[in-house]
């Protein structure tokens, strides 16, 4: 029989909380999805994700960088260009993200809205 005590109900898996603390934010999943394909310049990344603002993209990239999942690289110019790529830890998310995508295709309605 399941434990429905107050103590048991307040316990949340720490790992799941950490993952969804980052990946539960709007735009984080699509950004990582684009970067799984290859390193991308900032402007190209913004074009690849319709509806995201430059500010939001910059904020999410900073968060992913602080988490050790994305690296910012400056391509010396002229012109000076900034690109982003996944770290080994970021790239290791690929199997989990692909599985979540398969699950969504099988179980979520199409009319839930975009990003």
């Amino acid at each position: 029989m399941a434990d429905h005590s107050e103590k048991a109900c307040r316990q949340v898996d720490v790992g799941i909380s950490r993952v969804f603390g980052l990946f539960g934010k709007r735009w984080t999943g699509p950004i990582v999805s684009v970067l799984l394909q290859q390193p991308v310049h900032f402007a190209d990344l913004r074009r690849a994700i319709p509806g995201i603002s430059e500010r939001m993209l910059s904020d999410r990239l900073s968060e992913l960088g602080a988490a050790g999942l994305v690296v910012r690289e400056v391509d010396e110019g002229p012109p000076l260009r900034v690109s982003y790529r996944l770290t080994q830890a970021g790239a290791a998310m690929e199997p989990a993200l692909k599985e979540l995508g398969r699950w969504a295709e099988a179980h979520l309605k199409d009319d839930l809205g975009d990003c």
Side-chain angles (χ1 to χ4, degrees), residues 104-115:
E105 294 226 356
H107 300 285
L108 294 180
K109 297 177 185 177
D110 288 341
D111 62 349
L112 290 179
D114 296 330
C115 296

Side-chain angles (χ1 to χ4, degrees), residues 39-83:
V40 180
H41 290 106
F42 185 89
D44 297 329
L45 187 54
R46 182 162 181 248
R47 278 192 291 275
I49 306 170
I52 193 169
S53 69
E54 285 187 19
R55 173 68 188 253
M56 183 58 65
L57 178 56
S58 180
D59 288 350
R60 290 296 180 262
L61 287 168
S62 294
E63 291 171 358
L64 289 165
L69 303 177
V70 169
V71 173
R72 178 182 189 267
E73 297 175 331
V74 178
D75 304 330
E76 296 300 326
L80 183 95
R81 294 185 77 189
V82 177
S83 63

Side-chain angles (χ1 to χ4, degrees), residues 5 12 24-25 31 92 96:
S5 68
V12 177
K25 293 182 178 179
I31 291 168

Side-chain angles (χ1 to χ4, degrees), residues 12-22:
V12 177
D13 183 276
V14 176
I16 292 294
S17 294
R18 291 175 62 205
V19 167
F20 281 99
L22 181 62

